[in-house]
mmCIF file of all heavy atoms in Angstrom:
data_model
loop_
_atom_site.group_PDB
_atom_site.id
_atom_site.type_symbol
_atom_site.label_atom_id
_atom_site.label_comp_id
_atom_site.label_asym_id
_atom_site.label_seq_id
_atom_site.Cartn_x
_atom_site.Cartn_y
_atom_site.Cartn_z
ATOM 1 N N THR A 352 -55.081 7.047 -112.226
ATOM 2 C CA THR A 352 -53.675 6.703 -112.396
ATOM 3 C C THR A 352 -53.109 7.248 -113.705
ATOM 4 O O THR A 352 -52.081 6.792 -114.176
ATOM 5 C CB THR A 352 -53.448 5.173 -112.364
ATOM 6 O OG1 THR A 352 -54.235 4.578 -113.393
ATOM 7 C CG2 THR A 352 -53.858 4.579 -111.038
ATOM 8 N N GLN A 353 -53.788 8.233 -114.290
ATOM 9 C CA GLN A 353 -53.308 8.796 -115.545
ATOM 10 C C GLN A 353 -52.848 10.243 -115.294
ATOM 11 O O GLN A 353 -53.554 11.010 -114.644
ATOM 12 C CB GLN A 353 -54.436 8.774 -116.585
ATOM 13 C CG GLN A 353 -54.074 9.373 -117.920
ATOM 14 C CD GLN A 353 -52.975 8.587 -118.616
ATOM 15 O OE1 GLN A 353 -53.057 7.378 -118.770
ATOM 16 N NE2 GLN A 353 -51.911 9.273 -119.012
ATOM 17 N N ALA A 354 -51.680 10.573 -115.813
ATOM 18 C CA ALA A 354 -51.168 11.938 -115.644
ATOM 19 C C ALA A 354 -51.675 12.827 -116.792
ATOM 20 O O ALA A 354 -52.207 12.316 -117.784
ATOM 21 C CB ALA A 354 -49.647 11.930 -115.627
ATOM 22 N N HIS A 355 -51.499 14.115 -116.668
ATOM 23 C CA HIS A 355 -51.861 15.103 -117.697
ATOM 24 C C HIS A 355 -53.338 15.049 -118.074
ATOM 25 O O HIS A 355 -53.683 15.005 -119.254
ATOM 26 C CB HIS A 355 -51.018 14.930 -118.974
ATOM 27 C CG HIS A 355 -49.551 14.871 -118.702
ATOM 28 N ND1 HIS A 355 -48.873 15.904 -118.096
ATOM 29 C CD2 HIS A 355 -48.632 13.909 -118.935
ATOM 30 C CE1 HIS A 355 -47.604 15.572 -117.975
ATOM 31 N NE2 HIS A 355 -47.426 14.362 -118.466
ATOM 32 N N VAL A 356 -54.212 15.018 -117.068
ATOM 33 C CA VAL A 356 -55.647 15.042 -117.326
ATOM 34 C C VAL A 356 -56.133 16.471 -117.104
ATOM 35 O O VAL A 356 -55.853 17.062 -116.067
ATOM 36 C CB VAL A 356 -56.402 14.088 -116.371
ATOM 37 C CG1 VAL A 356 -57.901 14.115 -116.649
ATOM 38 C CG2 VAL A 356 -55.868 12.678 -116.506
ATOM 39 N N THR A 357 -56.842 17.049 -118.071
ATOM 40 C CA THR A 357 -57.406 18.391 -117.890
ATOM 41 C C THR A 357 -58.911 18.336 -118.102
ATOM 42 O O THR A 357 -59.425 17.393 -118.705
ATOM 43 C CB THR A 357 -56.791 19.397 -118.878
ATOM 44 O OG1 THR A 357 -56.938 18.889 -120.203
ATOM 45 C CG2 THR A 357 -55.320 19.627 -118.588
ATOM 46 N N GLY A 358 -59.622 19.361 -117.607
ATOM 47 C CA GLY A 358 -61.069 19.398 -117.722
ATOM 48 C C GLY A 358 -61.712 18.834 -116.460
ATOM 49 O O GLY A 358 -61.056 18.612 -115.456
ATOM 50 N N THR A 359 -63.022 18.601 -116.552
ATOM 51 C CA THR A 359 -63.765 18.103 -115.385
ATOM 52 C C THR A 359 -63.915 16.594 -115.475
ATOM 53 O O THR A 359 -64.324 16.078 -116.519
ATOM 54 C CB THR A 359 -65.180 18.728 -115.358
ATOM 55 O OG1 THR A 359 -65.036 20.140 -115.482
ATOM 56 C CG2 THR A 359 -65.893 18.382 -114.073
ATOM 57 N N LEU A 360 -63.572 15.897 -114.408
ATOM 58 C CA LEU A 360 -63.807 14.463 -114.341
ATOM 59 C C LEU A 360 -64.149 14.115 -112.895
ATOM 60 O O LEU A 360 -63.266 14.041 -112.044
ATOM 61 C CB LEU A 360 -62.581 13.673 -114.816
ATOM 62 C CG LEU A 360 -62.738 12.151 -114.833
ATOM 63 C CD1 LEU A 360 -63.895 11.714 -115.699
ATOM 64 C CD2 LEU A 360 -61.461 11.478 -115.309
ATOM 65 N N ASP A 361 -65.442 13.965 -112.618
ATOM 66 C CA ASP A 361 -65.886 13.640 -111.270
ATOM 67 C C ASP A 361 -66.280 12.173 -111.215
ATOM 68 O O ASP A 361 -66.982 11.678 -112.090
ATOM 69 C CB ASP A 361 -67.080 14.504 -110.867
ATOM 70 C CG ASP A 361 -66.661 15.951 -110.662
ATOM 71 O OD1 ASP A 361 -65.457 16.177 -110.435
ATOM 72 O OD2 ASP A 361 -67.517 16.841 -110.747
ATOM 73 N N VAL A 362 -65.816 11.494 -110.186
ATOM 74 C CA VAL A 362 -66.106 10.082 -110.003
ATOM 75 C C VAL A 362 -66.749 9.901 -108.634
ATOM 76 O O VAL A 362 -66.148 10.289 -107.624
ATOM 77 C CB VAL A 362 -64.818 9.244 -110.108
ATOM 78 C CG1 VAL A 362 -65.132 7.766 -109.929
ATOM 79 C CG2 VAL A 362 -64.139 9.479 -111.444
ATOM 80 N N LEU A 363 -67.956 9.352 -108.602
ATOM 81 C CA LEU A 363 -68.706 9.135 -107.356
ATOM 82 C C LEU A 363 -68.717 10.397 -106.498
ATOM 83 O O LEU A 363 -68.595 10.332 -105.274
ATOM 84 C CB LEU A 363 -68.108 7.957 -106.570
ATOM 85 C CG LEU A 363 -68.025 6.614 -107.301
ATOM 86 C CD1 LEU A 363 -67.241 5.608 -106.472
ATOM 87 C CD2 LEU A 363 -69.417 6.071 -107.589
ATOM 88 N N GLY A 364 -68.788 11.551 -107.153
ATOM 89 C CA GLY A 364 -68.914 12.805 -106.416
ATOM 90 C C GLY A 364 -67.610 13.471 -106.016
ATOM 91 O O GLY A 364 -67.625 14.563 -105.461
ATOM 92 N N ASP A 365 -66.480 12.823 -106.277
ATOM 93 C CA ASP A 365 -65.181 13.428 -105.980
ATOM 94 C C ASP A 365 -64.398 13.579 -107.276
ATOM 95 O O ASP A 365 -64.625 12.827 -108.224
ATOM 96 C CB ASP A 365 -64.381 12.531 -105.024
ATOM 97 C CG ASP A 365 -64.798 12.701 -103.583
ATOM 98 O OD1 ASP A 365 -64.898 13.871 -103.142
ATOM 99 O OD2 ASP A 365 -65.031 11.683 -102.904
ATOM 100 N N PRO A 366 -63.444 14.522 -107.309
ATOM 101 C CA PRO A 366 -62.613 14.604 -108.499
ATOM 102 C C PRO A 366 -61.803 13.312 -108.672
ATOM 103 O O PRO A 366 -61.342 12.754 -107.681
ATOM 104 C CB PRO A 366 -61.685 15.789 -108.223
ATOM 105 C CG PRO A 366 -62.076 16.364 -106.924
ATOM 106 C CD PRO A 366 -63.134 15.538 -106.299
ATOM 107 N N ALA A 367 -61.670 12.823 -109.903
ATOM 108 C CA ALA A 367 -60.945 11.573 -110.157
ATOM 109 C C ALA A 367 -59.561 11.641 -109.524
ATOM 110 O O ALA A 367 -58.905 12.673 -109.574
ATOM 111 C CB ALA A 367 -60.822 11.339 -111.651
ATOM 112 N N GLY A 368 -59.133 10.526 -108.921
ATOM 113 C CA GLY A 368 -57.810 10.467 -108.316
ATOM 114 C C GLY A 368 -57.803 10.877 -106.867
ATOM 115 O O GLY A 368 -56.773 10.807 -106.205
ATOM 116 N N HIS A 369 -58.950 11.303 -106.328
ATOM 117 C CA HIS A 369 -59.007 11.679 -104.917
ATOM 118 C C HIS A 369 -58.718 10.455 -104.055
ATOM 119 O O HIS A 369 -59.273 9.378 -104.308
ATOM 120 C CB HIS A 369 -60.394 12.234 -104.596
ATOM 121 C CG HIS A 369 -60.429 12.959 -103.288
ATOM 122 N ND1 HIS A 369 -60.392 12.305 -102.079
ATOM 123 C CD2 HIS A 369 -60.471 14.282 -102.995
ATOM 124 C CE1 HIS A 369 -60.418 13.196 -101.099
ATOM 125 N NE2 HIS A 369 -60.471 14.413 -101.635
ATOM 126 N N PRO A 370 -57.843 10.602 -103.048
ATOM 127 C CA PRO A 370 -57.491 9.437 -102.216
ATOM 128 C C PRO A 370 -58.713 8.737 -101.624
ATOM 129 O O PRO A 370 -58.702 7.517 -101.436
ATOM 130 C CB PRO A 370 -56.632 10.039 -101.100
ATOM 131 C CG PRO A 370 -56.056 11.278 -101.681
ATOM 132 C CD PRO A 370 -57.076 11.796 -102.661
ATOM 133 N N ARG A 371 -59.793 9.528 -101.372
ATOM 134 C CA ARG A 371 -60.997 8.935 -100.803
ATOM 135 C C ARG A 371 -61.609 7.881 -101.722
ATOM 136 O O ARG A 371 -62.326 6.995 -101.289
ATOM 137 C CB ARG A 371 -62.009 10.054 -100.582
ATOM 138 C CG ARG A 371 -62.928 9.799 -99.426
ATOM 139 C CD ARG A 371 -63.725 10.993 -98.974
ATOM 140 N NE ARG A 371 -64.022 11.998 -99.958
ATOM 141 C CZ ARG A 371 -63.963 13.311 -99.702
ATOM 142 N NH1 ARG A 371 -63.592 13.732 -98.534
ATOM 143 N NH2 ARG A 371 -64.278 14.189 -100.637
ATOM 144 N N LEU A 372 -61.317 7.987 -103.022
ATOM 145 C CA LEU A 372 -61.939 7.073 -103.981
ATOM 146 C C LEU A 372 -61.256 5.710 -104.040
ATOM 147 O O LEU A 372 -61.806 4.760 -104.586
ATOM 148 C CB LEU A 372 -61.910 7.702 -105.377
ATOM 149 C CG LEU A 372 -62.838 8.898 -105.586
ATOM 150 C CD1 LEU A 372 -62.555 9.546 -106.935
ATOM 151 C CD2 LEU A 372 -64.279 8.457 -105.506
ATOM 152 N N ARG A 373 -60.017 5.641 -103.478
ATOM 153 C CA ARG A 373 -59.210 4.444 -103.724
ATOM 154 C C ARG A 373 -59.845 3.164 -103.216
ATOM 155 O O ARG A 373 -59.623 2.105 -103.788
ATOM 156 C CB ARG A 373 -57.818 4.612 -103.114
ATOM 157 C CG ARG A 373 -56.963 5.498 -103.978
ATOM 158 C CD ARG A 373 -55.585 5.686 -103.409
ATOM 159 N NE ARG A 373 -55.018 6.916 -103.954
ATOM 160 C CZ ARG A 373 -54.235 7.724 -103.281
ATOM 161 N NH1 ARG A 373 -53.897 7.435 -102.046
ATOM 162 N NH2 ARG A 373 -53.778 8.816 -103.843
ATOM 163 N N SER A 374 -60.656 3.251 -102.153
ATOM 164 C CA SER A 374 -61.282 2.013 -101.663
ATOM 165 C C SER A 374 -62.678 1.826 -102.252
ATOM 166 O O SER A 374 -63.324 0.822 -101.989
ATOM 167 C CB SER A 374 -61.348 2.036 -100.132
ATOM 168 O OG SER A 374 -62.007 3.202 -99.711
ATOM 169 N N ARG A 375 -63.146 2.793 -103.052
ATOM 170 C CA ARG A 375 -64.510 2.691 -103.572
ATOM 171 C C ARG A 375 -64.550 2.221 -105.025
ATOM 172 O O ARG A 375 -65.615 1.979 -105.575
ATOM 173 C CB ARG A 375 -65.218 4.046 -103.449
ATOM 174 C CG ARG A 375 -65.290 4.540 -102.001
ATOM 175 C CD ARG A 375 -65.816 5.950 -101.924
ATOM 176 N NE ARG A 375 -67.196 6.059 -102.368
ATOM 177 C CZ ARG A 375 -67.768 7.224 -102.693
ATOM 178 N NH1 ARG A 375 -67.080 8.347 -102.655
ATOM 179 N NH2 ARG A 375 -69.020 7.243 -103.089
ATOM 180 N N ILE A 376 -63.374 2.152 -105.660
ATOM 181 C CA ILE A 376 -63.310 1.754 -107.062
ATOM 182 C C ILE A 376 -62.540 0.447 -107.194
ATOM 183 O O ILE A 376 -61.495 0.276 -106.584
ATOM 184 C CB ILE A 376 -62.587 2.840 -107.891
ATOM 185 C CG1 ILE A 376 -63.280 4.187 -107.724
ATOM 186 C CG2 ILE A 376 -62.546 2.447 -109.365
ATOM 187 C CD1 ILE A 376 -62.595 5.299 -108.476
#
Side-chain angles (χ1 to χ4, degrees):
Chain A
T352 58
Q353 178 64 51
H355 309 300
V356 180
T357 54
T359 309
L360 182 58
D361 290 339
V362 181
L363 303 172
D365 279 312
H369 195 286
R371 210 167 28 221
L372 290 172
R373 283 180 202 145
S374 55
R375 301 172 65 197
I376 304 178

